[in-house]
Amino acid sequence: MTPVETLLGNAGFRGKPLGSFPPQPGPFHLSSYARALGTRMQAETQPAHESLKPQRVHFQSQNFHNILHWQPGRACPGNSTIYFVQYKTYGQRQWKNKEDCWGIREFFCDLTNETSDIWEPYYGRVRTTLAGVHSGWTMTQRFSPWWETKIDPPFMNITQVNGSLLVNLHAPNLPYRDQKRKNVSMEYYGLVYRVFVINNSLEKEQKVYEGAHRVVEIEALTPHTGYCIVAEMYQPTLDRRSQRSQERCVESP
């Protein structure tokens, strides 16, 4: 009996003789086995159904109306998939379901009410289901309404009075209401209006007003001359201005 056989016998093992063990795999068999094992391990560690995950999940904010948008995953055909939306405030561990966007087919979700504290940063995330198969979640980057919202230009109405122009300005409304249930204007955050006059005959633009008043009188107009008025809003705290309004053109009497 060989030393190995003696050791096995003393340990109580009753196995086949050494010579009857199956042959060890050669280099070709070993490499094939390793490749197969590696492929299986990679499939198990890869996120499930990666091609179903929604793409380009991001917030778009206009006057603090905060809408979550996304695109369907690479393997999602048309509108045959449904989506689920969750959100949370930065620093919270628990995600919350958005009930109105739980099992929808649209590619957007209004999270204005859920992100109403404009000083707080937020996250949103979306997943999809197709034929009973769930994708993983796709999360937004950190979103801060106060810093990222875009401001629309002011509404403008022009009236001619005794050779002058009265420009009435009105800021866009916010999606919030005060205690009397009235809409809150963007003026709540301290806006400055800027009004510009363009003399069409001279092709010259001039800023004629900058301030907080909503009614601006433009005087000393040349008779029988065409003028165009344009306005914008400026938010000093953010050092941010709105886009310009559309030109409103009149001819002085």
Side-chain angles (χ1 to χ4, degrees):
M1 181 177 295
T2 65
V4 174
E5 291 173 343
T6 303
L7 178 61
L8 291 173
N10 293 338
F13 292 100
R14 291 295 183 268
K16 296 181 180 180
L18 294 178
S20 62
F21 282 161
Q24 298 298 314
F28 174 79
H29 298 86
L30 184 59
S31 60
S32 300
Y33 175 76
R35 284 198 300 268
L37 181 60
T39 302
R40 179 179 177 183
M41 293 177 63
Q42 183 179 6
E44 291 176 349
T45 57
Q46 190 175 16
H49 313 296
E50 185 75 20
S51 60
L52 295 179
K53 291 180 64 175
Q55 306 292 310
R56 299 179 60 192
V57 181
H58 65 284
F59 279 95
Q60 290 183 4
S61 181
Q62 201 81 12
N63 304 321
F64 299 111
H65 292 265
N66 306 323
I67 312 298
L68 187 68
H69 291 264
W70 61 88
Q71 295 294 327
R74 298 186 301 273
C76 293
N79 293 327
S80 60
T81 55
I82 57 176
Y83 298 92
F84 305 88
V85 175
Q86 291 184 332
Y87 65 94
K88 71 173 182 176
T89 305
Y90 173 73
Q92 292 181 343
R93 300 185 62 181
Q94 187 70 30
W95 289 88
K96 298 178 182 179
N97 298 341
K98 171 61 174 174
E99 299 299 335
D100 294 341
C101 302
W102 200 255
I104 61 174
R105 297 187 183 277
E106 293 81 11
F107 301 148
F108 63 90
C109 174
D110 190 343
L111 291 177
T112 299
N113 292 333
E114 290 72 21
T115 55
S116 59
D117 189 341
I118 63 174
W119 306 100
E120 289 283 352
Y122 299 92
Y123 291 100
R125 67 179 185 178
V126 187
R127 73 184 302 182
T128 187
T129 296
L130 177 63
V133 179
H134 298 281
S135 75
W137 292 97
T138 304
M139 188 175 69
T140 65
Q141 295 181 345
R142 188 187 304 180
F143 166 68
S144 299
W146 178 252
W147 293 106
E148 298 181 44
T149 198
K150 295 182 179 179
I151 304 174
D152 283 340
F155 302 103
M156 184 173 58
N157 185 40
I158 300 176
T159 306
Q160 293 186 1
V161 179
N162 298 327
S164 300
L165 298 178
L166 284 183
V167 181
N168 289 271
L169 302 164
H170 179 67
N173 287 330
L174 299 172
Y176 318 122
R177 296 180 183 271
D178 59 18
Q179 296 179 350
K180 297 181 180 180
R181 304 299 299 168
K182 293 184 179 180
N183 288 329
V184 178
S185 170
M186 185 70 74
E187 292 176 350
Y188 178 81
Y189 294 112
L191 292 176
V192 172
Y193 292 104
R194 292 171 175 168
V195 179
F196 303 85
V197 174
I198 303 171
N199 186 323
N200 292 335
S201 60
L202 300 178
E203 297 184 352
K204 181 180 179 181
E205 177 182 290
Q206 179 184 1
K207 183 169 71 173
V208 295
Y209 178 75
E210 179 169 348
H213 294 294
R214 291 188 295 174
V215 179
V216 179
E217 183 176 7
I218 303 175
E219 301 174 305
L221 300 176
T222 303
H224 311 295
T225 302
Y227 292 93
C228 291
I229 314 299
V230 65
E232 68 181 22
M233 297 186 306
Y234 174 69
Q235 215 297 322
T237 304
L238 294 180
D239 190 23
R240 185 189 309 171
R241 64 184 179 90
S242 71
Q243 294 182 341
R244 287 192 168 190
S245 64
Q246 293 184 346
E247 293 182 0
R248 298 287 302 275
C249 298
V250 296
E251 184 171 341
S252 60

